Amino acid sequence: MKPPLLLIGHGAHDDTGAAEFGRFVHRLRCRLDGVAADVSGGFIARGRPTLSDSVASLVARGHHRLVTLPLTLCDTGDVDAAVLRAQLAHPTLTCDQGRSLAASPRVLALMAERLADALAEMPRLAAVATGEDHGEVTREPVSPAETAVVLVGHGSADTRENAEVHRVSRLFWETHAADLLTVETAYVSDAPPSVAQGIERCRRLGARRVVVLPYLLFAGGVLERIWAEALAYAAGHTDLDVRFAEVIGDCEGLADVIIERYEETLATEPAGTEWIPRDAGLLAEVHQLPREEPTLAEGLV
């Protein structure tokens, strides 16, 4: 039996995000039944179960080697600090840490599927017909060259995280949307441009159709804020076909990626290898970091 898999989420700001995270953990538990000793998950900030509670539960059940995988779309020191803190709390614990999902080609492919679904669906907001159209709106066909994407990240005070979202936008454009007019970057909070500003830029570049593509794993309050801002913009620009793509979500494709990372980590980390954080100064600073907060707020990062 292989060691347990522990998924690390950054934070669930509301019950919707926490529930979808939990459903995904259950999906992996079913997929790895008979392969991994256990599958668990926890959040390092905002949301339950907390990472410390999940680690304590696994250790109490006799597990002292874990494979930890960040279920995040950005590389941050928060995950490293949380894993190190867990090891300090349980001196017999060994953690083999895998790579995050940041800029993963497989994740970009899943986002491309969500984009294709959005382009195949009818627009959520259409112009209101007048005269003798009997409620039907006739639109001229929109070519790919007139179609743009606004890839929306959460936004952060850390400019490195915002730069990573810009990098992902460029990678996505070149690998999955090269025939489209553009892929612009926007953020829902803490950094410009806003969702509305991203759509406006696409319109000024000549787009007649814009797809808002969230760079998020799971649904929740953040996704609702993205859609609300985009809908408000679309209501004032009825000549523009604004569409909405879903998040990656709890799906078999994402489970495939995680299982691949799990096996990869086991293959590259010999049993008993001591995990060393990427940041050399992390060990000295970890005791000063804020503890996990069990309160719920607004979305999943």
Side-chain angles (χ1 to χ4, degrees), residues 121-298:
E121 294 173 355
M122 292 297 293
R124 292 172 182 256
L125 194 68
V128 178
T130 58
E132 300 179 356
D133 291 331
H134 303 291
E136 297 182 359
V137 178
T138 302
R139 292 185 183 272
E140 296 180 3
V142 178
S143 69
E146 298 172 305
T147 301
V149 172
V150 178
L151 189 148
V152 185
H154 187 284
S156 172
D158 187 339
T159 56
R160 293 171 297 180
E161 291 187 27
N162 297 331
E164 174 65 14
V165 179
H166 269 278
R167 184 172 78 95
V168 169
S169 293
R170 184 69 192 190
L171 284 171
F172 185 79
W173 189 10
E174 294 190 6
T175 57
H176 293 286
D179 59 334
L180 302 187
L181 173 63
T182 184
V183 175
E184 297 296 319
T185 307
Y187 304 96
V188 71
S189 62
D190 296 327
S194 66
V195 177
Q197 289 170 336
I199 301 174
E200 174 64 13
R201 176 169 172 78
C202 293
R203 187 184 69 82
R204 293 190 180 192
L205 288 172
R208 295 175 54 214
R209 173 177 294 148
V210 177
V211 180
V212 177
L213 178 65
Y215 188 51
L216 304 170
L217 284 177
F218 300 126
V222 173
L223 179 64
E224 292 173 2
R225 287 162 57 191
I226 291 172
W227 284 358
E229 188 170 346
L231 279 168
Y233 178 93
H237 300 80
T238 54
D239 59 322
L240 187 65
D241 180 2
V242 179
R243 301 189 179 195
F244 305 87
E246 297 286 348
V247 294
I248 294 169
D250 166 30
C251 65
E252 286 296 304
L254 183 59
D256 290 339
V257 178
I258 294 300
I259 292 172
E260 180 182 274
R261 293 286 169 91
Y262 173 72
E263 297 292 349
E264 170 192 270
T265 305
L266 287 175
T268 56
E269 297 287 348
T273 299
E274 181 180 2
W275 175 74
I276 300 174
R278 289 185 292 269
D279 185 348
L282 190 55
L283 182 60
E285 299 175 2
V286 68
H287 293 291
Q288 302 175 12
L289 292 175
R291 296 293 174 179
E292 296 157 348
E293 301 175 9
T295 57
L296 298 177
E298 303 173 328

Side-chain angles (χ1 to χ4, degrees), residues 10-13 43-48 154 292-299 301:
H10 190 271
H13 300 263
F43 298 109
I44 61 175
R46 299 182 305 274
R48 289 189 181 278
H154 187 284
E292 296 157 348
E293 301 175 9
T295 57
L296 298 177
E298 303 173 328
V301 180

Side-chain angles (χ1 to χ4, degrees), residues 111-126:
M111 292 171 60
E113 292 178 9
R114 304 299 179 267
L115 173 61
D117 291 342
L119 288 173
E121 294 173 355
M122 292 297 293
R124 292 172 182 256
L125 194 68

Side-chain angles (χ1 to χ4, degrees), residues 6-9 68-72 74 79 97-101 258:
L6 178 61
L7 296 174
I8 304 175
T68 58
L69 286 178
L71 197 59
T72 62
C74 291
V79 172
Q97 186 164 339
R99 295 181 294 137
S100 76
L101 300 176
I258 294 300

